[in-house]
Every structure is written in structure tokens, then in C-alpha cells.
Amino acid sequence: MSVTDSPAARLQALFEGHRLTPTQRRIAHSMVRRAADVPFLSSVELAELAGVSQPSVTRFAVALGFDGYPALRRHLREVAPAEPAADAGSHNEYQQAVEAEIENLRHLAEALADPGPVQRAGRLLAASRPLLVLGLRAAAAQAHGFAYFAAKVHPDVRLLGEGGTMLQDRIDAAVRAGASTLLCFALPRHPREVVDTLAYAKEAGLTVVTVADSAFAPVAKVSDLLLPAAVGTGLAFDTACAPMLLGRVLLEAMCDGLPQAQSRLEEFDTKAAARGLFVD
């Protein structure tokens, strides 16, 4: 199945072009995450899945141009016939969390069937000198991991891993030094400071590439190129395997745009061996 034929892709296409409220974006995000199951869910079940009221689901269907949720569900069954997902009742809560992450990775694999957006992002990251990488709160670990590896091949990576009044100063300094792109990792719950910082970065002339949990995330409106990768919500704290893997894919795409990437890696390995840096 190609990315354009996947249930998640068909749902994304259904939502495009509609101005959705934050509550409606939450419903849309939940539907994409459970794309194979949605045609079989009642409005009450979808409301529980998204954590909203049943009337909100009805208003959401009307906002998409349907008479109500039953009409929307009929449409989904017609355009995306599928069997409901296998019953996970025999799995404990930990196994269910793992299964949900596996499904998120499947959705990511479907999206990467079209490598164009990631390749474009890789070129933007490779060309930026310096390259800014932003990630606050829940996304700080994703940004730190990307910046750690990117610094081995990119000549100037600047991590913005803490909020505060210095953020805009550091963006200004990077722009003066020649920066053209900012890479942002944005995960729930989305800090207002991240949205404000991306808006400032765009005003400063930077191109904003964002890895977010959904195409409907609050950062979408202040991003030039948004790459979605869903998070798992089955445990007390969200799990982010798909965003992490997408970050590594972006590293690969960036390396493709850096002619000296391989030689820099080899140089690092030589110095690390001479210093006895790692214990193998």
C-alpha cells in the first residue's frame, strides 16, 4: 500500500483545507492515530478516544461538510474499507503501549514512501551555517540527541534546549552568523514558548522545519515544513519512538547534503580510537 492509499493519508487529505478549532484538531489527530479503527467507532467512542465531548464530535463532522457524524462514518467506510484492528484485550497495558508504538512506526514508514519532504528538509539543514536545533520540555531529549549526532558531520550546530529570554538573543546571533534554517522538535504538551519562538524565528528570516506529533499540532501555523510522527499516549508519560526515528532519518538526509560528512565521521573515529574514548 502506498502512502497515498493508506487510511491515515486518506484521513489527512479529508481534513486539509478546513480551519479546525483546537478541539477539532485534537479529534482529527486521534482519528489519524487510529485510522484503521475510526470507520467502526461510534461518536461516543471517538469522543472518549479524543478526550472531548460527544457534541464536539458532531460539530467536527459538520465542520468537514457532513450532516453529522453518521454521514462522516459512512463516508469513511466507503472510501477506506478495512477490517477493524485486532482485539488487544489479551495484552496487558505495557504490551498495548508497545503495540501502539509499532503502529506509529508503521504510519511513519507509510509517510516516508514519499521521501520528498525529508529530502527537502535534509537539504535545508545541510545548507544552514550555523544550524539551530530547538526542543523544549518534552522535546528537549529529541533535540539534544539530534544535535549530538549532527555536530559530528555539520560544521556548526547550535542547540536551543532551554527556554527563557535568551532564546531570541541566540536566534538573532545565529542569523547574524548566517543561519538560514531552524529545526524544531515539538511534542505534547506544546509549550506556548515554542510557538512564540518559531514565530520570532520566521520573522527573523529563518526557514522553520518542525518534527511534531501531528500535522494539526499548534506549531503547524509557524512552520514552513512540518514532518509528523505520532507519539504514544497509553502510558502515564507519552512515548516518542517515531519522532526519534524521524530525527535519525533527517540526520541521514542531512548527511546526503554534506559532501564532507563521511570524512568527518572517519576523522572522529580515528581521534576517538587514539583517545581510547569508547570501551568496545
Side-chain angles (χ1 to χ4, degrees):
M1 180 185 294
S2 72
V3 64
T4 55
D5 292 332
S6 72
R10 284 192 287 268
L11 280 173
Q12 292 275 18
L14 177 64
F15 303 144
E16 288 176 359
H18 295 280
R19 295 181 62 85
L20 302 178
T21 67
T23 296
Q24 290 167 351
R25 289 198 300 270
R26 185 172 182 174
I27 297 170
H29 175 46
S30 297
M31 291 176 71
V32 171
R33 287 184 59 246
R34 295 282 296 275
D37 299 332
V38 165
F40 304 92
L41 299 180
S42 68
S43 60
V44 173
E45 290 170 329
L46 178 56
E48 291 177 351
L49 177 66
V52 302
S53 67
Q54 190 275 337
S56 294
V57 172
T58 300
R59 289 192 291 270
F60 170 72
V62 172
L64 295 179
F66 297 92
D67 292 336
Y69 181 73
L72 170 58
R73 187 169 64 173
R74 283 195 301 271
H75 174 76
L76 295 178
R77 289 180 176 181
E78 291 170 359
V79 301
E83 294 299 323
D87 181 16
S90 61
H91 294 161
N92 63 44
E93 61 179 313
Y94 311 126
Q95 291 175 303
Q96 290 176 24
V98 173
E99 292 292 340
E101 282 293 68
I102 292 172
E103 188 63 22
N104 288 340
L105 292 173
R106 287 197 185 99
H107 289 162
L108 178 59
E110 291 173 357
L112 292 174
D114 176 9
V118 166
Q119 290 172 340
R120 178 189 168 203
R123 291 191 294 269
L124 289 169
L125 303 181
S128 186
R129 305 283 199 285
L131 170 63
L132 287 169
V133 181
L134 170 67
L136 303 183
R137 293 186 180 269
Q142 307 294 329
H144 188 279
F146 181 94
Y148 170 78
F149 289 112
K152 297 185 183 303
V153 294
H154 192 289
D156 191 352
V157 178
R158 303 188 185 184
L159 174 65
L160 306 178
E162 296 182 358
T165 59
M166 292 292 291
L167 272 178
Q168 294 184 358
D169 294 346
R170 296 181 66 188
I171 288 174
D172 289 340
V175 170
R176 287 195 298 270
S180 57
T181 300
L182 180 149
L183 172 63
C184 174
F185 288 87
L187 301 177
R189 300 173 64 186
H190 294 277
R192 184 181 302 277
E193 189 174 17
V194 170
V195 178
D196 294 342
T197 298
L198 295 188
Y200 185 85
K202 285 175 63 67
E203 291 174 1
L206 293 174
T207 297
V208 174
V209 177
T210 303
V211 172
D213 59 297
S214 167
F216 307 100
V219 292
K221 61 185 178 182
V222 285
S223 301
D224 296 293
L225 176 57
L226 188 139
L227 304 170
V231 300
T233 58
L235 301 176
F237 299 100
D238 289 346
T239 51
C241 294
M244 182 190 71
L245 181 53
L246 182 53
R248 298 299 189 267
V249 169
L250 279 174
L251 281 167
E252 186 74 12
M254 185 184 73
C255 286
D256 291 339
L258 292 169
Q260 295 180 320
Q262 187 60 40
S263 62
R264 286 179 175 141
L265 284 174
E266 292 172 356
E267 179 184 0
F268 172 79
D269 285 342
T270 299
K271 290 182 177 179
R275 294 162 55 193
L277 190 59
F278 302 110
V279 180
D280 295 325

